[in-house]
Amino acid sequence: MSSHASIPCFSIDTALHCRRRTPVVFRCQSVLNSSSLRSEKMTATLSKDEFLLKSDEGKREEWQRGLLYQFQEDDLQVLNVIDAIQHLGIEHHFHDQISSILQRQYQKVKIDYFEKINDLYGISLRFRLLRQEGYYVSSDVFAKFTSEKGQFKEELSKDIRGLMALHEASHLSIEGEDVLDEAAKFSRESLIASMVHLDETQVSMVQNTLQYPYHKSLARFTAKTFIENMRVENEWEATLVNLATMDYSITQSFYQEEFRQILRWWKGLGLKDELAKNQQLKCYIWTLALIPNPSMSRERIELTKPIALVYLIDDIIDVYATFDQTKQFVDAINRWDLSVGEGLPDYMKRCLVVLFDTTNDINNLVFDKYGWNPIDHLKRAWKCLCSAYITEAKWFATGKSPTTNEYLQTGIITTGIPMVLITCFFLLGHGAFAGATDIEDMITSVGAILRLLDDLDATQGEKQDGNDASYVEYYVKEHEGLSISDGKQRIMNMVSEQWKLINKKCLSPTRIPESFSKSCLNIARMVPMMYNYSDTHCLPILQKQIMSMFSTINGEESIRLQ
């Protein structure tokens, strides 16, 4: 796929000027019932200072400013504090202070500040934090650590702290940065080789750095492991750990309440039991990544619904519906007319009702909060998705093998990523925007990562009686003499390329809104956790991270991710 491949039939207008008009108020049928789930009190033991941090916004902001202020004259130490804050998943409490500090750090970088430093750890940490913030820093800052042949010097292989920071930094690479490709290879090989000489805690830290580099993981789900491995040696570290623990307890309670509302909605849909495959938590976890802002509870709940419908419609088309039923179902969506679905099975007609109602509800929410009416864009995104489902169904029905390019471009759409992200775009309040091409490129890259990594695990993941194929299968057919292993390596290379494109789109100057860039990044970060299946078809990595967060809701069955 080319660097700037567009998504077929999915586009944002050159400028997203959503009409300010009366929102849709028509509802096909109420989908909520009056049932309620038991609520459970969340308790936490808070010290007096912690209670004030929780309840007194002014005192909390004063404390936050003081924490970072005391280190502002020590360039490296203040970066260490920021790094700890980010890994603990509490960056949202320090957003403004961190932005201000990194802006000052960037001003120093522009006057050859890196030339004065020869510490691998310090350079790597500063490089990563600045690039994460959107500042372009040349990868040439690592040239001093390489030989004339471009290889990293062997003496660095003993610097475990520096290697871990270098590995983290390498994940911020963009196209053409060979030194960062070499950094990723060198740091990984050196860290793996070093583990036989490390103690148990150090081994765990190295393993987590390799498996969950900060830029490609979600601190909300990895903070607990970070705390377990963290060697608290001073007061500021202890304070941050306490804040992270308190923050986790507080957010856990309202995440649980949001999920209860999702369960009530799902149970009220009136769908057949075989269509309800305990996917609700999986859908909600996607939304936690997309909209992490704690204050946007309503938006998270509403966005979970179309994500659930993507899973539902995919199963209907792939497993239950005949090809003729699929064509009629998609025709009803393309015309946005329930009457076109007459004659379909009741569960398919019911799904149409829920889809239309949910789309109208999201449109009304956006209109009420921001004054934009995105209904045409929301409909177009759904029509594009379902038309792509038809394309895949035709391939299966006729036995046609598409080219890898045809398969991937259609497969990006059928991931649901374009529909979900454009819905998220409006829920975040972005209604008039001129950077359409940049947004489409970003969405394409995220969708490609999901499609490719899902296909990578196709042989050990969701084996069902549907129409699933994979990029690996078509790639091997298209390139005679190549093996399945070659196809898998091709996928890993392509995923790396897409990450580099995403990284570049996030660098300043960019026309993509920061909140939407974060949503796209977070979805790409979530993909490896969502598509890493065990032999029992479950998701052990993700399940381990969220077990404690939702284990009190509706019994054990609700937290089994499939």
Side-chain angles (χ1 to χ4, degrees):
M1 187 172 63
S2 67
S3 300
H4 303 286
S6 60
I7 304 174
C9 84
F10 175 80
S11 65
I12 305 172
D13 294 339
T14 303
L16 284 176
H17 294 297
C18 304
R19 288 166 284 176
R20 292 181 180 272
R21 66 185 184 192
T22 304
V24 178
V25 294
F26 168 74
R27 283 193 59 79
C28 304
Q29 181 178 342
S30 175
V31 297
L32 292 176
N33 61 22
S34 59
S35 64
S36 61
L37 301 179
R38 61 187 177 87
S39 62
E40 301 188 21
K41 293 183 178 179
M42 303 300 300
T43 59
T45 302
L46 304 177
S47 68
K48 180 180 179 181
D49 286 343
E50 289 173 332
F51 179 79
L52 288 171
L53 286 175
K54 176 182 176 182
S55 59
D56 188 326
E57 183 176 354
K59 182 175 179 64
R60 184 174 68 247
E61 291 180 353
E62 179 183 351
W63 175 82
Q64 291 164 358
R65 285 194 299 269
L67 176 67
L68 289 169
Y69 179 81
Q70 64 181 306
F71 299 113
Q72 67 176 353
E73 299 302 322
D74 186 335
D75 287 332
L76 183 58
Q77 185 67 337
V78 77
L79 295 182
N80 285 329
V81 177
I82 291 173
D83 183 46
I85 287 171
Q86 291 182 346
H87 276 91
L88 289 168
I90 51 176
E91 184 180 8
H92 54 285
H93 290 301
F94 301 87
H95 179 270
D96 292 343
Q97 294 93 331
I98 290 174
S99 295
S100 178
I101 290 170
L102 293 180
Q103 184 180 36
R104 291 197 298 271
Q105 289 277 331
Y106 182 61
Q107 295 303 318
K108 293 181 179 181
V109 167
K110 290 199 297 184
I111 55 174
D112 298 329
Y113 188 72
F114 276 111
E115 295 300 320
K116 305 173 184 177
I117 306 173
N118 293 302
D119 173 39
L120 179 62
Y121 171 79
I123 287 180
S124 299
L125 177 61
R126 182 174 281 101
F127 177 89
R128 174 174 68 82
L129 292 178
L130 288 174
R131 279 223 174 168
Q132 282 175 186
E133 192 70 8
Y135 295 114
Y136 174 74
V137 179
S138 174
S139 58
D140 291 344
V141 298
F142 294 104
K144 66 176 68 179
F145 301 111
T146 62
S147 66
E148 292 181 359
K149 295 181 179 180
Q151 298 175 330
F152 278 79
K153 298 173 182 177
E154 187 61 31
E155 58 263 29
L156 297 172
S157 63
K158 306 301 181 183
D159 181 3
I160 303 303
R161 189 185 190 210
L163 288 171
M164 291 171 63
L166 179 64
H167 187 76
E168 294 272 14
S170 71
H171 288 278
L172 277 294
S173 65
I174 60 178
E175 291 178 290
E177 294 187 319
D178 294 341
V179 68
L180 289 180
D181 293 337
E182 179 64 24
K185 179 176 179 292
F186 173 76
S187 59
R188 172 174 286 278
E189 292 176 352
S190 299
L191 286 170
I192 291 173
S194 71
M195 285 194 284
V196 295
H197 307 295
L198 304 178
D199 62 37
E200 185 176 343
T201 300
Q202 290 174 321
V203 167
S204 181
M205 292 174 65
V206 168
Q207 288 176 334
N208 277 284
T209 296
L210 295 174
Q211 189 170 13
Y212 303 115
Y214 179 81
H215 184 61
K216 293 181 181 176
S217 60
L218 289 164
R220 175 62 63 184
F221 299 109
T222 58
K224 185 176 180 181
T225 301
F226 182 79
I227 291 174
E228 291 172 351
N229 293 329
M230 189 174 179
R231 291 178 173 173
V232 179
E233 298 176 345
N234 50 60
E235 186 176 350
W236 68 263
E237 289 176 322
T239 300
L240 288 178
V241 169
N242 287 337
L243 177 61
T245 303
M246 181 183 68
D247 182 77
Y248 183 88
S249 177
I250 295 169
T251 55
Q252 180 190 46
S253 63
F254 65 73
Y255 288 159
Q256 288 183 345
E257 179 53 37
E258 288 174 6
F259 185 53
R260 288 188 181 96
Q261 293 186 45
I262 295 300
L263 287 177
R264 285 196 291 269
W265 170 77
W266 183 265
K267 290 181 178 181
L269 295 182
L271 294 166
K272 296 196 301 183
D273 289 341
E274 56 265 35
L275 294 176
K277 295 168 55 178
N278 291 324
Q279 298 273 27
Q280 302 91 342
L281 180 55
K282 192 174 182 180
C283 300
Y284 178 64
I285 294 300
W286 281 118
T287 312
L288 278 180
L290 277 159
I291 307 180
N293 187 333
S295 68
M296 301 188 79
S297 179
R298 173 78 186 281
E299 286 81 358
R300 265 192 301 278
I301 292 169
E302 292 305 315
L303 186 58
T304 303
K305 297 174 183 179
I307 294 175
L309 290 173
V310 170
Y311 281 105
L312 179 63
I313 293 173
D314 181 60
D315 276 354
I316 287 175
I317 292 176
D318 197 38
V319 179
Y320 299 101
T322 66
F323 182 62
D324 287 340
Q325 288 172 341
T326 296
K327 288 195 295 183
Q328 184 180 354
F329 181 83
V330 172
D331 191 33
I333 293 173
N334 283 331
R335 299 187 189 186
W336 212 255
D337 185 349
L338 282 177
S339 66
V340 179
E342 287 301 320
L344 288 173
D346 287 343
Y347 71 90
M348 294 184 76
K349 290 191 289 186
R350 182 67 182 141
C351 184
L352 287 172
V353 169
V354 176
L355 170 59
F356 293 173
D357 282 350
T358 299
T359 304
N360 291 339
D361 287 344
I362 290 173
N363 179 71
N364 294 341
L365 172 60
V366 172
F367 184 87
D368 290 343
K369 189 168 183 177
Y370 302 109
W372 303 110
N373 188 354
I375 190 65
D376 292 339
H377 296 285
L378 299 177
K379 288 180 180 179
R380 184 190 304 162
W382 274 110
K383 293 173 184 179
C384 180
L385 172 61
C386 292
S387 294
Y389 283 144
I390 281 288
T391 298
E392 291 186 340
K394 285 180 180 177
W395 291 340
F396 180 76
T398 62
K400 175 187 175 182
S401 291
T403 66
T404 51
N405 188 58
E406 290 173 334
Y407 169 79
L408 184 56
Q409 290 216 341
T410 302
I412 287 171
I413 302 171
T414 57
T415 62
I417 285 291
M419 186 282 300
V420 170
L421 282 177
I422 196 59
T423 303
C424 180
F425 181 87
F426 291 113
L427 284 171
L428 290 172
H430 308 301
F433 188 69
T437 300
D438 290 337
I439 288 181
E440 289 175 22
D441 288 347
M442 177 78 89
I443 292 173
T444 298
S445 291
V446 175
I449 289 172
L450 196 159
R451 171 52 61 211
L452 291 168
L453 288 183
D454 185 19
D455 284 3
L456 190 64
D457 278 327
T459 57
Q460 63 186 45
E462 295 181 34
K463 292 186 177 180
Q464 56 184 1
D465 297 326
N467 309 338
D468 290 347
S470 75
Y471 185 89
V472 172
E473 175 187 337
Y474 293 128
Y475 183 77
V476 171
K477 284 183 179 180
E478 202 171 278
H479 297 81
E480 187 176 349
L482 294 185
S483 66
I484 294 295
S485 178
D486 293 327
K488 290 184 175 182
Q489 185 58 52
R490 169 63 176 163
I491 281 183
M492 295 308 299
N493 293 341
M494 292 176 71
V495 169
S496 177
E497 291 169 5
Q498 295 306 316
W499 262 110
K500 290 180 180 181
L501 292 175
I502 290 174
N503 290 341
K504 187 173 183 179
K505 290 294 180 186
C506 291
L507 291 175
S508 297
T510 178
R511 296 187 296 172
I512 303 176
E514 181 184 357
S515 61
F516 185 70
S517 291
K518 186 171 183 178
S519 294
C520 292
L521 276 168
N522 284 351
I523 284 297
R525 290 161 173 161
M526 179 63 79
V527 170
M529 300 177 75
M530 281 289 192
Y531 292 91
N532 192 320
Y533 292 98
S534 67
D535 292 336
T536 57
H537 299 179
C538 289
L539 299 160
I541 294 177
L542 184 60
Q543 188 148 329
K544 176 185 176 182
Q545 303 294 345
I546 68 171
M547 183 75 72
S548 61
M549 187 179 290
F550 296 99
S551 60
T552 60
I553 297 181
N554 208 28
E556 184 74 16
E557 211 37 49
S558 69
I559 59 172
R560 181 177 173 82
L561 297 177
Q562 300 176 329

